[in-house]
Amino acid sequence: FALGWWLQVMPPRQAVAVALIMSIASGIQGLIIVRRAIRWRRLAVFLLPALLGIPIGLRILEHIEAGPLKVLIAAFLLLYGGFFLLRRDLPALARPTPWIDGGIGFLSGILGALAGLSGALPTMWLALRDWTKEQSRAVLQPFNVTVLGIAAGLLALDGGYKGDTLISVAVALPITVLFAQVGLLIFKRLPDALFRRLLILLMFLSGLILLGRMLL
């Protein structure tokens, strides 16, 4: 959501650099909450393929312009969110799907480095599983923090955090930390079914707002 706004005033590389730090800052706070629920084998199925996708995403980021990136993100969020908002009942997948999980992890590694969107595909996919919100977050939080942390580190080594980028990070970071706490308070009070629906709704609204900003 924030990346769509930052792309209005920053070049893609700088906007993604800021988004990565904000996502890591909020993700670490959430990680502390769900740390005892983490199942490392389940996490590894997503995370190991993602490590292969991160360098690919960073390479694409060097060449992509803001316009195509915004179109890609908006279309992605609207298609998924719109489809499942129109469904009365969400599927609740129970059987193991390691190959799909790994593929989603790989693509998420690319999206994480390209646009700070490592959580988009896993969030969508896990919303369709019959997991509790704690089980879902126990995959999403460590997955995001790890993928985005590696992407930010590689970007820093390539000179991605200098001058105006550091100033933007300094301005946005305290606000991100504060409102991540608000989000965690809400998370603790949400029933599992409402949590799944809310994730899908937020995906759709994010795409809608981004598309609206592009048309202004």
Side-chain angles (χ1 to χ4, degrees), residues 111-162:
L111 287 173
L114 174 61
L117 285 173
S118 59
L121 281 175
T123 297
M124 296 173 181
W125 177 238
L126 296 185
L128 306 182
R129 303 204 67 89
D130 63 342
W131 294 358
T132 66
K133 62 180 183 180
E134 287 79 11
Q135 289 175 317
S136 296
R137 298 301 290 175
V139 171
L140 290 172
Q141 293 289 172
F143 179 84
N144 280 332
V145 170
T146 302
V147 170
L148 299 180
I150 293 173
L154 293 175
L155 195 58
L157 290 175
D158 196 38
Y161 291 97
K162 296 179 180 178

Side-chain angles (χ1 to χ4, degrees), residues 5-141:
W5 295 84
W6 284 328
L7 283 170
Q8 304 295 324
V9 295
M10 302 177 188
R13 197 166 186 261
Q14 183 182 356
V16 170
V18 176
L20 289 175
I21 298 300
M22 299 308 105
S23 297
I24 293 167
S26 59
I28 289 174
Q29 296 176 84
L31 181 59
I32 294 171
I33 299 296
V34 300
R35 65 188 184 279
R36 292 187 179 89
I38 296 174
R39 293 175 57 179
W40 295 103
R41 182 174 296 180
R42 176 182 287 174
L43 174 62
V45 174
F46 290 90
L47 185 56
L48 294 180
L51 301 180
L52 301 177
I54 293 172
I56 299 174
L58 289 174
R59 179 60 61 89
I60 297 173
L61 181 61
E62 294 177 0
H63 303 288
I64 196 169
E65 296 180 357
L69 182 57
K70 287 186 284 188
V71 170
L72 172 66
I73 296 170
F76 186 69
L77 297 176
L78 285 172
L79 286 173
Y80 175 88
F83 177 75
F84 285 106
L85 281 176
L86 293 174
R87 294 192 58 155
R88 178 173 300 178
D89 298 315
L90 292 175
L93 302 176
R95 62 184 179 84
T97 53
W99 288 104
I100 298 177
D101 296 347
I104 287 173
F106 175 72
L107 292 174
S108 298
I110 296 175
L111 287 173
L114 174 61
L117 285 173
S118 59
L121 281 175
T123 297
M124 296 173 181
W125 177 238
L126 296 185
L128 306 182
R129 303 204 67 89
D130 63 342
W131 294 358
T132 66
K133 62 180 183 180
E134 287 79 11
Q135 289 175 317
S136 296
R137 298 301 290 175
V139 171
L140 290 172
Q141 293 289 172

Side-chain angles (χ1 to χ4, degrees), residues 171-195:
V171 171
L173 187 57
I175 301 172
T176 297
V177 171
L178 173 62
F179 282 94
Q181 290 298 314
V182 176
L184 290 173
L185 289 174
I186 297 172
F187 168 77
K188 293 176 182 178
R189 289 163 172 77
L190 286 176
D192 290 343
L194 181 57
F195 174 75

